[in-house]
Amino acid sequence: MAAIDMNADLGETVNGVPTADDEAMFAVISSANIACGAHAGDADSMRAAVDRATRFGVAVGAHPSYPDPAGFGRAAMRMPAAELEASVAAQLLALLDAGADLRYVKPHGALYHAVTDRREEARSVVAAVVAVSERLGRGLPLLGMGGEIALAAREAGLGFVGEAFLDRGYRADGSLVPRGGAGALVTDPRQISERALRFARESTVEAVDGTIVHVDAASLCVHGDSPSAVGLARAARAALDDDGIRVRAPW
């Protein structure tokens, strides 16, 4: 039976208020990227997310970001390499202190894009993951779109898993349409279902200009904080289940 992972960004509370329906999303996905306090979340939300993961049998991943709570981690920042490494390591350790059985790491927001494109940031994040992996006694794989972070992970002896975005538009070069651009968000459940099957069966997606783009992905992401996130995730999950494609974590 074919299999693929479904992940969502969860545990994202701001001033104690969740930005997503975590309870409903945990019931649909197989991996959860948990905010570690830098862009959202706190010790209480991390513990709540870990508890939900245990109840629903969902793998826990860390979702570290630039220390940018005001911008929700979406503002590009330039940090010295050592400071970025220390910040990411501290976030991973905070999630471990909340009781997480940590299985992987996926950077958030602006940091996600930075480590895809820039070698220095990728190396800093990987160095933090290596340090925490040594503490755990096992290597933590990284989840992302590829690029520099995939190279840095493999150079460090860590695993890397590619992902695709069900609810984001793609450009012809395989990059995401920037938020606010035409076609940046995909909100039609039927289209989400079709994209999920296409990713799983063919490893392709149709870009906003009609180009067919190859995407090497073993995990499919639905952003948890969009208003229709639960419905979109359920549509994708139903389509995969009906097609005999098993949804399971690869970690």
Side-chain angles (χ1 to χ4, degrees):
M1 178 185 292
I4 200 161
D5 183 46
M6 282 184 63
N7 77 81
D9 307 338
L10 298 172
E12 293 181 325
T13 60
V14 178
N15 296 323
V17 179
T19 64
D21 186 349
D22 282 20
E23 185 76 9
M25 286 295 286
F26 266 98
V28 182
I29 60 172
S30 47
S31 296
N33 321 309
I34 306 303
C36 308
H39 73 282
D42 53 28
D44 289 340
S45 65
M46 284 185 263
R47 283 192 292 269
V50 168
D51 289 345
R52 284 193 175 98
T54 300
R55 284 195 287 115
F56 287 103
V58 170
V60 172
H63 204 35
S65 85
Y66 287 123
D68 173 35
F72 204 67
R74 289 176 177 155
M77 298 178 68
R78 286 286 190 172
M79 297 175 65
E83 288 185 18
L84 179 57
E85 178 183 341
S87 175
V88 172
Q91 292 175 64
L92 270 57
L93 293 174
L95 189 53
L96 287 173
D97 288 344
D101 177 16
L102 191 57
R103 309 311 299 180
Y104 66 98
V105 177
K106 174 187 171 179
H108 165 81
L111 183 59
Y112 183 97
H113 296 290
V115 300
T116 301
D117 299 330
R118 298 201 293 267
R119 189 159 183 77
E120 182 177 4
E121 282 85 344
R123 284 180 164 176
S124 293
V125 169
V126 167
V129 177
V130 167
V132 174
S133 294
E134 290 174 350
R135 168 173 167 165
L136 289 173
R138 54 179 169 81
L140 291 169
L142 286 108
L143 176 63
M145 288 182 69
E148 294 295 341
I149 190 67
L151 293 174
R154 289 165 182 151
E155 287 173 357
L158 298 175
F160 182 83
V161 174
E163 74 170 335
F165 291 88
L166 290 171
D167 54 0
R168 291 294 306 277
Y170 279 78
R171 297 189 290 198
D173 64 358
S175 63
L176 299 179
V177 176
R179 287 180 180 269
L185 302 179
V186 181
T187 59
D188 178 14
R190 178 171 294 183
Q191 188 177 2
I192 291 287
S193 298
E194 293 170 352
R195 284 160 66 98
L197 292 176
R198 190 164 188 168
F199 279 129
R201 293 171 178 164
E202 305 171 13
S203 300
T204 64
V205 65
E206 184 175 342
V208 291
D209 68 353
T211 302
I212 302 303
V213 179
H214 177 79
V215 181
D216 186 10
S219 185
L220 305 178
C221 178
V222 175
H223 287 90
D225 59 353
S226 63
S228 56
V230 174
L232 298 180
R234 285 173 174 162
R237 179 64 187 260
L240 294 168
D241 288 344
D242 290 346
D243 201 59
I245 298 170
R246 184 178 179 187
V247 175
R248 67 180 180 188
W251 327 104

